[in-house]
Amino acid sequence: MDVINYLSIIVLIFSPMVAAALLFSSFFKHNEVRIRRFSKGFASLHFLYTILFLVFFNPLKDGISYYKEITFFGSDWIQPLGLKMAFGLDGLSLLMVILTSFVFLLALIASKSNIRAKHKFYYSMIFLLQTAVLGVFCARDMFLFFMFWELELVPMYFLIGQWGDKKAKASAMKFVLYTFLGSLFMLLGILLLHFYSFATYGNLTGDFSQIAISTPEFPMFMQIVISILLLVGFAVKMPIVPLHTWLPDAHVDAPTPVSMILAAILLKMGAFGIIRFNMQLLPEAFKLIAPVLIIFALVNIIYTALVAYAQSDLKKIVAYSSISNMGIVLLGLCTLNLIGFSGAVFQMIAHGIISAGLFMLVGIIYIRTKTREIIELGGLGAVMPRLMGFGLILSLAAIGLPLLIGFVGEFLVFLGAFNSNLENFAPIKIYSVIAIFILVLSAAYMLRLLHKTFWANIFERWQGIKDITNHEFVVLFSLILVVGFFGVFPMAIIEIVQPVLTNILQFLQI
Amino acid sequence: MDFLHNITNIMLPEMTIVAFILLQIILSMFLDMKFYKLAKWLTVLGIFLATSLCTKVQIEPIYYGFKNAIISDNYTIFFKGLILISSFLIVFLTKKTISSRRNSAFQFNALILTVILGALTLVSANDFLTMFISMETLGFAMFFLIAFDKGFKSKEAAFKYLIISAVASSIFLFGVSYLYGITGHLNFSLIYEYFLEKNPTLLYSMAAIFITCGLTFKLGVIPFANWILDIYEDASTSVVTLLSIVPKVAMFGILARLLVFPLSYSFELTFVLVLIAVVTAIWANVLAIRQKNIKRLLACSSSANAAYVLFTVSLVSVFNLSTVLFYLVAYIFMNIGVFAAVIILESSEFSNKLYEFKNFAYTNPVFTLCFATCILGLAGFPITAGFISKIYLFSAIARSGLVFLPFLVVLMITIVVSVYYYLRVVKFMFEKSDTVESEVIAYKTSSAIVILYCCAAITVVLGIFPSKIIELCQFMAYNI
């Protein structure tokens, strides 16, 4: 049991930042190979380190594991406001941390063929992004959460803008402004939470668990206002439909590894924030908002699925399918029962893996053909059989074929929605029935993607292109492993988050 | 004897500055042009001496000198320290300005010291007369500084400044005359005590609004804000740095005191100021979107920042005041950093157009990193002082009452706009272009480089570890 003493969450979060500083400094010369090897090596070590956290994690233990505070010369982060630089892991954050570390590793491997210039800057930005994301998942203080939430914008701005396609700079700006606007609403919510908890209990604090104690005392009106303000911030990130327009642009123009990270992890931050803030801190208000949110969730699922079907750009199809999938997550969160919650969390992980794979797939095709237009492709299966195999499995997982990772999440969410005991809210059952039928659409756009790119007659100009390289094989293969494994053993994920979710349910039943 | 006693107790920093002003003027008559470097070092020495003499000033218990015309307490000494430190940094940025007119180096430095003198007495003023005189001292010295650069553009800018300054001053005096008519006093404490017994009338509110509107000129907020763009563009950059920091800090110092003591009875004034602040934030941030010149952009940015601070100052409370102090500290360093970068660019023959910033990230990575840190700090991104100060400022507004929440939402939306134009600056620096020659910035101004690095470092350190400074600010705010 001595190993547990060496597991420092501070190292977990800030070591990527140190690596970023190292890469940015003049210690590394502009040597592409060395920089890339260092990054990949570092990311693999980081992944192993997070696995150690999982090994020594006790899911049955109540509360926070690996809790740690940083103090500066004996005083807290912002002591006059009672804010601490405190980090800790619960089941949910642990899952997200492992997903983050895993996807970043894969994205770094995938970077080889996609990033052709400014390597030093690129890899340091990736690592800075990793620290920001890990900080969001591990923060135990509202303001710390917000700080990392904002910090993530800076590397993202550069990653999309600098290595992206033609319109990348505009897209990056759009992404940053959208998120910034959302997060300022979130900040307002956080400030009100901070102030009202001070007004009720008289101690200034930003700690999640302490805020959670004081929130039931707030006036109901205030709880709802705060809840809505916070939701705006998370809705932009997640994204929920009227606020989603940044996502297709950002995805289409970002380079492949960044798209992978964006879809696999950054979107999950929105859902994570809803669980952290709206469900854990303001359960009463969430109970009232959930019936309204369900409508948004269904619009999310149905509308974006239809839009995805109408797209001709491969990346846009995957991007819109991401939004559709996040709608499923939101639906699961709004069911207010354990099955739905587990489904939502599972879907977060599942979509993280699948979307990373799909973006990789599209990226591989784009590098070889220099086009993403679905009409110009076709018959690639003849020249790229290995890619077609991977693509087949990934698309089937995205559709939700049993025994693959995508099935479990969707199934649990709809089961949860059907069994939901939302008081006086019968329409949810009708809605979920509609949504299940609409899910056929996901099969439609995915199979269309698969069919138009890999089957049919091959164009003359694609005859010469080569199948996937070893790097790409490693990325896709490890994703497929995860897809298969958790499709067969879904409980491995659900057991870790179960305590967190039952805890939320206990709050909700008050 | 009382006079001398007062001077030795609280006026030593000011008197040091006065002595150095006289010294500069005398030396300018005797010394040859080739000694122009001496002027700068004399200024530095004077500011340094004044700063160190700040510790000798009596602040506990609160000291009222010169028949209550001057006050000295923790709060004033904090602002004096702030003014002296920021001007200490700014003096090192003046090299480029002086290099074109070396024969007037001593006058230039004397004028800078006069601005500092005006700012120092302004924050310690305890009646309207002292305040007015200090304001004009500051304003006139600033006028000559703006006109200092060669060419007619700076003269034009100076003239604009003078005229608008005169209008603003007269409005200020108009308000003061009404207040004097109502109360019969000019002293802050006496006016405050006068209204403890009598109810304030509407006329009092009118007077208060006039007084604060007169002060908005130096803050660069609406209604007297339109000068700011032209003057920032046309005046020499080091002067603009001074203009954007020293008068503003001093003015916020005295404004907070006014709002806590003599003008604290006017309920209407709060709403007028909040409205002014919100309108300014919208105006400045929207105006900045289309600016192609970095100096014009910074003018808008400084106006917007003043608006955020004004919003918080107007909601008078001790906590709010502490947030304002911290915001000013953070803002000073970020702003000096940005201006130092602009000065470095100017001295390497770059114009102030944003599109000339292309390729910087690849030719001068460290410079770009520091410049971007300061710019992102102004925009309010994390791990910079700007992030913490904005959160702290907004937390003050959020707890001032639900009435102000809609205003706060508007303010936040304007901040999103500001993120756009700040990021545009960064975007240009990271853009690769073949049409623009990728010149390596000639490191002619080593002092400006050092200042830039220091400011960027302080911005980051304050962003990670703000605790101690915030505690200091709270202590000072409790002791107003």
Side-chain angles (χ1 to χ4, degrees):
Chain A
M1 288 310 284
D2 284 327
V3 183
I4 206 161
N5 297 330
Y6 294 102
L7 294 180
S8 162
I9 194 163
I10 309 292
V11 175
L12 179 79
I13 293 168
F14 288 101
S15 59
M17 201 184 215
V18 174
L22 212 73
L23 281 168
F24 197 79
S25 68
S26 49
F27 180 73
F28 272 92
K29 298 280 170 283
H30 287 276
N31 184 342
E32 188 192 330
V33 179
R34 267 189 66 193
I35 290 172
R36 207 188 310 124
R37 282 188 184 155
F38 171 79
S39 315
K40 277 186 288 192
F42 180 82
S44 346
L45 282 180
H46 190 270
F47 180 57
L48 289 179
Y49 195 57
T50 49
I51 292 293
L52 281 183
F53 276 76
L54 177 67
V55 170
F56 292 97
F57 181 77
N58 181 4
L60 298 176
K61 190 185 147 206
D62 208 28
I64 312 302
S65 310
Y66 308 108
Y67 184 82
K68 190 99 183 174
E69 277 176 30
I70 302 182
T71 52
F72 301 90
F73 310 109
S75 65
D76 292 333
W77 179 38
I78 308 182
Q79 204 161 25
L81 287 180
L83 308 182
K84 288 175 188 159
M85 209 174 245
F87 300 99
L89 285 174
D90 60 6
L92 184 62
S93 358
L94 182 68
L95 272 185
M96 300 318 291
V97 164
I98 292 170
L99 179 70
T100 307
S101 197
F102 180 61
V103 173
F104 268 86
L105 174 59
L106 296 188
L108 283 171
I109 298 173
S111 297
K112 186 194 176 187
S113 42
N114 288 286
I115 305 301
R116 296 279 181 213
K118 299 177 258 182
H119 294 90
K120 258 177 97 151
F121 191 35
Y122 172 81
Y123 287 98
S124 55
M125 281 296 133
I126 286 268
F127 280 127
L128 185 61
L129 181 65
Q130 190 175 8
T131 289
V133 173
L134 290 173
V136 167
F137 290 140
C138 298
R140 291 306 305 167
D141 185 294
M142 296 187 302
F143 286 87
L144 196 62
F145 179 95
F146 183 72
M147 185 182 105
F148 283 112
W149 183 280
E150 290 281 82
L151 180 62
E152 158 262 329
L153 291 182
V154 181
M156 259 337 254
Y157 176 73
F158 288 120
L159 285 174
I160 298 176
Q162 295 297 311
W163 291 273
D165 290 353
K166 296 145 281 178
K167 291 203 285 91
K169 289 207 169 62
S171 300
M173 187 66 94
K174 193 175 176 184
F175 166 76
V176 170
L177 291 184
Y178 243 103
T179 319
F180 209 92
L181 183 65
S183 54
L184 280 178
F185 280 100
M186 197 175 111
L187 172 65
L188 198 55
I190 291 176
L191 287 172
L192 287 174
L193 268 179
H194 183 247
F195 172 59
Y196 271 86
S197 86
F198 170 62
T200 8
Y201 276 106
N203 63 331
L204 282 165
T205 179
D207 196 281
F208 281 123
S209 35
Q210 288 186 42
I211 296 278
I213 297 168
S214 60
T215 40
E217 312 282 326
F218 293 3
M220 199 58 216
F221 170 71
M222 218 51 232
Q223 287 195 35
I224 294 175
V225 168
I226 295 173
S227 200
I228 289 172
L229 285 172
L230 290 168
L231 261 180
V232 173
F234 301 133
V236 168
K237 198 92 213 180
M238 200 162 158
I240 299 175
V241 147
L243 304 172
H244 71 288
T245 54
W246 61 269
L247 187 134
D249 287 347
H251 266 312
V252 168
D253 293 326
T256 304
V258 181
S259 283
M260 285 165 73
I261 292 169
L262 188 61
I265 296 157
L266 297 197
L267 303 190
K268 309 301 170 292
M269 277 163 58
F272 182 83
I274 288 179
I275 296 174
R276 255 287 178 279
F277 280 86
N278 291 68
M279 292 167 72
Q280 285 186 336
L281 299 186
L282 299 155
E284 291 287 310
F286 189 73
K287 232 173 170 176
L288 290 176
I289 293 176
V292 186
L293 266 185
I294 282 184
I295 298 167
F296 279 100
L298 286 165
V299 172
N300 233 10
I301 299 172
I302 298 165
Y303 169 72
T304 46
L306 286 169
V307 174
Y309 187 70
Q311 297 304 316
S312 60
D313 187 314
L314 284 180
K315 236 179 177 178
K316 273 203 170 148
I317 296 176
V318 184
Y320 276 109
S321 86
S322 289
I323 310 177
S324 187
N325 274 292
M326 292 318 283
I328 295 174
V329 172
L330 188 62
L331 181 65
L333 295 181
C334 293
T335 55
L336 303 184
N337 58 23
L338 189 59
I339 305 172
F341 287 174
S342 319
V345 174
F346 196 90
Q347 180 69 9
M348 278 160 74
I349 306 288
H351 174 250
I353 300 294
I354 295 169
S355 64
L358 286 175
F359 275 115
M360 185 72 204
L361 191 84
V362 175
I364 291 170
I365 294 173
Y366 181 66
I367 287 175
R368 283 161 177 71
T369 62
K370 295 285 172 271
T371 178
R372 284 191 299 254
E373 286 300 312
I374 209 163
I375 318 152
E376 295 178 22
L377 298 168
L380 293 184
V383 280
M384 306 169 87
R386 287 205 290 174
L387 184 67
M388 186 176 76
F390 285 126
L392 190 64
I393 298 172
L394 281 170
S395 331
L396 290 180
I399 293 165
L401 199 76
L403 287 186
L404 294 176
I405 198 167
F407 170 72
V408 187
E410 283 178 17
F411 177 72
L412 285 178
V413 166
F414 287 114
L415 192 64
F418 217 69
N419 293 335
S420 175
N421 48 0
L422 264 181
E423 291 152 44
N424 310 324
F425 203 67
I428 183 178
K429 298 211 163 82
I430 305 165
Y431 287 155
S432 45
V433 170
I434 300 170
I436 289 172
F437 281 112
I438 291 296
L439 273 184
V440 175
L441 267 176
S442 82
Y445 62 71
M446 270 305 156
L447 290 179
R448 176 164 167 264
L449 185 152
L450 207 61
H451 181 257
K452 296 261 177 174
T453 39
F454 290 115
W455 287 303
N457 293 325
I458 189 162
F459 285 105
E460 197 57 43
R461 60 178 179 277
W462 305 142
Q463 283 294 357
I465 58 178
K466 294 200 173 60
D467 208 348
I468 50 179
T469 62
N470 289 344
H471 274 84
E472 292 154 350
F473 179 81
V474 168
V475 174
L476 287 172
F477 187 69
S478 36
L479 284 170
I480 294 296
L481 272 186
V482 178
V483 166
F485 181 79
F486 289 111
V488 183
F489 301 109
M491 282 316 278
I493 286 178
I494 292 172
E495 260 176 9
I496 296 174
V497 283
Q498 203 100 335
V500 183
L501 301 178
T502 42
N503 215 342
I504 293 169
L505 274 180
Q506 276 168 13
F507 270 119
L508 284 169
Q509 243 91 59
I510 292 167
Chain B
M1 278 321 280
D2 196 32
F3 181 75
L4 263 183
H5 197 236
N6 278 333
I7 285 184
T8 49
N9 268 345
I10 59 169
M11 291 295 274
L12 277 180
E14 285 89 341
M15 286 305 140
T16 321
I17 301 284
V18 169
F20 274 87
I21 293 171
L22 295 176
L23 187 66
Q24 299 265 19
I25 292 173
I26 292 164
L27 284 181
S28 74
M29 290 188 266
F30 297 112
L31 280 185
D32 196 49
M33 196 179 100
K34 68 185 174 198
F35 291 104
Y36 76 99
K37 274 188 177 163
L38 183 65
K40 185 171 94 178
W41 292 109
L42 269 180
T43 316
V44 169
L45 181 67
I47 294 173
F48 181 74
L49 274 181
T51 317
S52 48
L53 281 173
C54 274
T55 53
K56 301 282 181 212
V57 172
Q58 182 187 341
I59 45 175
E60 306 251 6
I62 298 172
Y63 193 97
Y64 293 96
F66 304 103
K67 299 199 166 51
N68 289 346
I70 298 271
I71 187 173
S72 168
D73 56 13
N74 275 312
Y75 178 77
T76 56
I77 210 74
F78 178 80
F79 269 96
K80 281 181 188 175
L82 221 53
I83 289 164
L84 287 170
I85 290 170
S86 52
S87 42
F88 185 80
L89 295 177
I90 292 167
V91 170
F92 286 107
L93 303 178
T94 55
K95 189 174 174 184
K96 166 107 193 324
T97 315
I98 289 182
S99 65
S100 64
R101 293 191 57 186
R102 284 183 182 165
N103 51 353
S104 320
F106 285 99
Q107 283 97 324
F108 181 80
N109 279 286
L111 284 169
I112 283 189
L113 284 172
T114 318
V115 169
I116 296 165
L117 175 69
L120 290 181
T121 44
L122 185 58
V123 288
S124 52
N126 197 35
D127 72 16
F128 280 109
L129 212 55
T130 323
M131 184 182 160
F132 183 67
I133 292 169
S134 331
M135 256 168 67
E136 293 306 298
T137 314
L138 201 160
F140 274 107
M142 210 69 237
F143 164 71
F144 289 116
L145 282 177
I146 293 170
F148 186 82
D149 231 15
K150 273 184 181 166
F152 73 94
K153 280 221 157 190
S154 62
K155 310 297 181 290
E156 187 192 328
F159 212 70
K160 276 178 194 162
Y161 183 87
L162 182 73
I163 289 173
I164 301 172
S165 165
V167 175
S169 293
S170 54
I171 286 175
F172 168 76
L173 280 182
F174 186 67
V176 172
S177 70
Y178 269 115
L179 204 56
Y180 183 70
I182 300 166
T183 60
H185 299 298
L186 282 175
N187 193 292
F188 295 169
S189 334
L190 290 178
I191 293 172
Y192 179 69
E193 280 159 19
Y194 179 87
F195 283 109
L196 284 176
E197 291 144 22
K198 297 201 173 58
N199 278 330
T201 55
L202 191 61
L203 192 63
Y204 165 77
S205 285
M206 285 303 295
I209 290 168
F210 271 115
I211 290 171
T212 41
C213 279
L215 298 184
T216 54
F217 166 71
K218 290 241 167 36
L219 300 177
V221 296
I222 279 177
F224 293 108
N226 32 15
W227 58 276
I228 198 163
L229 288 163
D230 290 342
I231 291 171
Y232 271 52
E233 190 187 1
D234 294 340
S236 151
T237 312
S238 58
V239 173
V240 172
T241 319
L242 192 73
L243 179 64
S244 72
I245 286 166
V246 171
K248 241 174 227 185
V249 170
M251 205 47 95
F252 274 120
I254 194 69
L255 185 62
R257 189 181 284 284
L258 281 180
L259 291 174
V260 171
F261 292 112
L263 307 184
S264 59
Y265 299 97
S266 174
F267 177 68
E268 293 87 348
L269 180 62
T270 308
F271 277 90
V272 169
L273 284 184
V274 166
L275 214 61
I276 284 177
V278 170
V279 171
T280 311
I282 296 170
W283 173 80
N285 283 327
V286 170
L287 197 61
I289 294 175
R290 302 291 295 171
Q291 300 304 332
K292 294 190 177 65
N293 186 320
I294 179 87
K295 275 165 86 178
R296 284 177 89 86
L297 194 146
L298 286 174
C300 296
S301 129
S302 82
S303 186
N305 276 295
Y308 310 148
V309 178
L310 185 65
F311 195 121
T312 321
V313 168
S314 60
L315 313 174
V316 183
S317 83
V318 170
F319 180 77
N320 290 8
L321 197 53
S322 74
T323 67
V324 166
L325 299 189
F326 184 72
Y327 196 92
L328 288 177
V329 172
Y331 175 71
I332 283 172
F333 288 112
M334 294 183 299
N335 212 26
I336 293 182
V338 172
F339 273 113
V342 174
I343 285 170
I344 295 165
L345 294 180
E346 276 183 354
S347 45
S348 3
E349 309 303 327
F350 279 94
S351 80
N352 291 316
K353 297 281 183 287
L354 287 181
Y355 55 76
E356 288 212 1
F357 290 10
K358 285 175 183 172
N359 281 342
F360 275 5
Y362 313 109
T363 51
N364 306 280
V366 184
F367 168 81
T368 313
L369 186 69
C370 293
F371 191 14
T373 308
C374 291
I375 286 275
L376 291 179
L378 283 176
F381 279 99
I383 62 165
T384 61
F387 175 74
I388 304 279
S389 60
K390 279 215 169 60
I391 279 192
Y392 197 40
L393 201 74
F394 291 156
S395 76
I397 301 173
R399 64 171 64 184
S400 295
L402 288 178
V403 188
F404 300 109
L405 275 193
F407 294 108
L408 182 56
V409 171
V410 176
L411 213 62
M412 284 181 162
I413 290 171
T414 63
I415 282 180
V416 177
V417 177
S418 79
V419 169
Y420 170 75
Y421 62 77
Y422 288 128
L423 273 185
R424 223 165 61 112
V425 180
V426 179
K427 184 188 91 177
F428 274 115
M429 290 194 287
F430 281 90
E431 210 157 275
K432 236 184 182 146
S433 155
D434 307 323
T435 52
V436 178
E437 279 177 49
S438 64
E439 275 179 78
V440 177
I441 298 167
Y443 286 91
K444 283 178 195 163
T445 48
S446 50
S447 53
I449 299 258
V450 172
I451 301 266
L452 173 64
Y453 291 178
C454 286
C455 285
I458 291 173
T459 308
V460 172
V461 168
L462 272 184
I464 293 168
F465 175 53
S467 206
K468 287 279 183 270
I469 302 291
I470 290 182
E471 272 170 22
L472 178 73
C473 292
Q474 285 194 339
F475 175 74
M476 294 307 172
Y478 278 100
N479 281 302
I480 186 172

